[in-house]
Amino acid sequence: MKSTSNYDLTDAQNELYSWIRDYMREFRHSPSIRQMMQAMGLKSPAPIQSRLKHLQEKGFISWQEGKARTLQVVDEILEGVPIMGSVAAGGLIETFNDTNENLDITDVLKKKNVFALTVNGDSMIDACIADGDMVLMEPINDSFSIRNGDIVSALVPGMGTTLKYFFKRGGKIFLEAANSNYDPIELNLNEVVFQGKLLAVWRKI
Amino acid sequence: MKSTSNYDLTDAQNELYSWIRDYMREFRHSPSIRQMMQAMGLKSPAPIQSRLKHLQEKGFISWQEGKARTLQVVDEILEGVPIMGSVAAGGLIETFNDTNENLDITDVLKKKNVFALTVNGDSMIDACIADGDMVLMEPINDSFSIRNGDIVSALVPGMGTTLKYFFKRGGKIFLEAANSNYDPIELNLNEVVFQGKLLAVWRKI
DNA sequence: TGTATTAGAGTACATTTGTTTTAATGAAAA
DNA sequence: TTTTCATTAAAACAAATGTACTCTAATACA
């Protein structure tokens, strides 16, 4: 990841790029070419087009041809970070090299209506979901889309919302903790409302 | 989940609002009215305008009149997902409500040169870092910025890159696993190269 | 100096797009 | 049923906007 320095750009390109970023940060949408023209003190759109083309060729921006205000600053699209190989969390010897792959943690956000929950307690500790973790959930529309072994958040009468393994056996629903200190909950299908299915776990140190 | 705080909206408005959010989350710019029209299965822009007007009056969105694709979703950080309260992962009763807060998982990416590693093995299992997890790391420039108890990735001679707890006692470096099956590694400061410090853990199901 | 290259001005055009208007449709209320 | 209101379709319009083209001025280079 070179970035940071815009040394590859001419002054004019750099100035435009910088202005675009500021504009988009403020207004949350792309400026139009004529706005850029004005901001750069120009009286014709042609120079802007030229600079945009160069910025695009150098990988700084992109846009949808013919569509108004669809500029994207590539730096901000790439929410991914380089994956530098794997680390031993055991006795194995592993290398530390740029795998040339990227981890995009925002792809789960592209699903519809994803929401987050704060985990409270240790009942899922054996599934490595700890107290204080954030879990990203996908809404459940029909309970038939849940498979045995999925981790779900469910509204259980008298228990509130709880995060558990889902199992279905012989018409009964079993909600099981990942902690032997907690007993499974047995319910009928109509006694429980499923809210979401686990997509990802996020823990910020 | 009856989309919580959108009770003020009609189904059509709610559907549109939801679609706009998803679109902007994916493409990072506002859709045009005709795109919304298509997405809603309509053949005329008028209904969309009507719904947009209502959404604006109710404070959900705003835009610059006459300007193309200048829609803004008010009150919403697009990188974030709504935090819908907390779940019991224990015996506690917790509510399931829109807390009106947002989880922004991209903020750690704003640090410089963040990189990711794939976790291999179970030596950090008691810290709830499991085999296959991705860890997001911040580069370590000088080893003095590391504090006792931090989780670091370190290059240890003969062991490759490993993820461990860092401790420093009496001029010696101790790298300790979060798993009693592994013994601590004792090293001199010049025998180890620290690569990164743990920022976050990411597990996608 | 002369030529080639580049950047900018000016203009024009086609498409995209927001907006308005009117008529048709359908659902709800009287 | 009839009336009333909201929704949608359809069409048209005007503004915004991306793009292409030519011409001129500035710059770089041999």
Side-chain angles (χ1 to χ4, degrees):
Chain A
M1 188 170 62
K2 188 91 239 169
S3 77
T4 53
S5 55
N6 304 347
Y7 290 151
D8 305 321
L9 302 178
T10 67
D11 285 348
Q13 288 162 9
N14 201 347
E15 189 192 357
L16 176 61
Y17 178 64
S18 187
W19 183 86
I20 290 172
R21 291 189 64 145
D22 287 342
Y23 181 97
M24 291 185 72
R25 190 174 296 266
E26 182 175 353
F27 295 103
R28 299 286 197 104
H29 63 246
S30 161
S32 70
I33 287 184
R34 279 168 181 81
Q35 280 179 312
M36 303 182 217
M37 189 185 82
Q38 270 199 299
M40 295 297 110
L42 301 175
K43 295 173 181 174
S44 156
I48 298 296
Q49 284 177 273
S50 163
R51 294 172 197 180
L52 288 178
K53 198 179 168 189
H54 287 131
L55 284 169
Q56 186 220 20
E57 282 167 358
K58 291 173 181 170
F60 287 82
I61 57 169
S62 68
W63 69 89
Q64 291 180 20
E65 278 190 20
K67 301 299 174 68
R69 294 175 184 272
T70 52
L71 217 58
Q72 284 187 335
V73 176
V74 172
D75 205 333
E76 317 247 330
I77 312 171
L78 295 180
E79 275 120 8
V81 290
I83 300 175
M84 304 296 287
S86 54
V87 276
L92 302 173
I93 296 176
E94 296 292 334
T95 53
F96 184 79
N97 283 320
D98 194 336
T99 62
N100 232 347
E101 289 178 282
N102 276 290
L103 168 65
D104 181 7
I105 60 176
T106 66
D107 61 346
V108 300
L109 303 183
K110 297 185 173 70
K111 296 207 179 202
K112 280 204 186 298
N113 298 320
V114 171
F115 62 94
L117 295 168
T118 306
V119 175
N120 219 313
D122 63 347
S123 79
M124 293 303 284
I125 197 72
D126 289 347
C128 267
I129 301 175
D131 189 32
D133 285 359
M134 302 295 304
V135 283
L136 291 169
M137 313 290 293
E138 180 183 17
I140 293 174
N141 297 321
D142 63 304
S143 63
F144 296 103
S145 64
I146 318 174
R147 294 181 179 189
N148 276 351
D150 282 349
I151 295 176
V152 297
S153 69
L155 179 61
V156 182
M159 276 209 58
T161 302
T162 183
L163 193 68
K164 293 281 186 299
Y165 279 117
F166 169 94
F167 289 101
K168 191 174 175 182
R169 296 191 206 93
K172 287 276 186 178
I173 301 295
F174 295 85
L175 298 177
E176 300 186 6
N179 184 332
S180 55
N181 296 330
Y182 296 89
D183 292 325
I185 305 168
E186 184 179 341
L187 296 160
N188 292 315
L189 189 53
N190 59 0
E191 288 177 315
V192 57
V193 179
F194 296 104
Q195 294 159 330
K197 187 171 136 183
L198 184 66
L199 285 177
V201 181
W202 176 246
R203 182 184 316 134
K204 207 174 134 186
I205 306 300
Chain B
M1 185 176 62
K2 188 61 200 157
S3 44
T4 60
S5 61
N6 301 355
Y7 283 152
D8 308 319
L9 302 177
T10 67
D11 285 349
Q13 289 162 12
N14 201 347
E15 188 192 358
L16 177 61
Y17 178 63
S18 186
W19 185 87
I20 290 172
R21 279 176 43 164
D22 287 338
Y23 180 98
M24 292 185 71
R25 191 171 284 163
E26 182 173 353
F27 295 103
R28 298 300 189 132
H29 60 246
S30 161
S32 70
I33 288 184
R34 279 168 182 82
Q35 280 180 312
M36 303 181 216
M37 187 186 84
Q38 270 199 300
M40 296 296 112
L42 301 175
K43 293 173 181 176
S44 154
I48 298 295
Q49 284 180 279
S50 161
R51 293 172 199 181
L52 288 179
K53 197 178 169 190
H54 287 129
L55 285 170
Q56 187 220 18
E57 282 167 357
K58 290 172 182 170
F60 286 83
I61 58 171
S62 68
W63 69 92
Q64 291 179 21
E65 279 191 19
K67 302 297 174 70
R69 296 175 184 271
T70 54
L71 218 58
Q72 280 188 343
V73 176
V74 181
D75 246 16
E76 169 85 7
I77 305 169
L78 287 175
E79 290 86 11
V81 290
I83 300 175
M84 305 296 289
S86 54
V87 277
L92 303 171
I93 296 177
E94 297 291 333
T95 51
F96 185 79
N97 283 321
D98 195 337
T99 62
N100 230 350
E101 289 177 283
N102 277 288
L103 169 65
D104 181 7
I105 60 176
T106 66
D107 61 348
V108 300
L109 305 184
K110 298 190 172 72
K111 297 206 179 200
K112 280 209 184 294
N113 300 320
V114 171
F115 62 94
L117 295 167
T118 306
V119 175
N120 220 313
D122 64 347
S123 80
M124 294 304 285
I125 196 72
D126 289 346
C128 268
I129 301 175
D131 189 33
D133 285 359
M134 303 295 304
V135 283
L136 290 168
M137 313 291 292
E138 181 183 15
I140 293 174
N141 297 321
D142 64 304
S143 63
F144 298 103
S145 65
I146 317 174
R147 295 181 179 188
N148 277 350
D150 282 350
I151 295 176
V152 297
S153 69
L155 179 61
V156 182
M159 276 209 60
T161 303
T162 182
L163 192 69
K164 293 282 186 299
Y165 278 118
F166 169 93
F167 289 101
K168 190 175 177 181
R169 298 190 205 95
K172 286 277 186 179
I173 302 296
F174 295 85
L175 298 178
E176 300 186 6
N179 183 333
S180 55
N181 295 331
Y182 297 88
D183 293 324
I185 305 168
E186 185 180 339
L187 295 160
N188 293 314
L189 188 53
N190 59 0
E191 289 178 315
V192 58
V193 179
F194 295 104
Q195 294 160 328
K197 187 171 135 182
L198 183 66
L199 284 178
V201 181
W202 176 245
R203 183 185 314 134
K204 207 173 135 189
I205 306 300

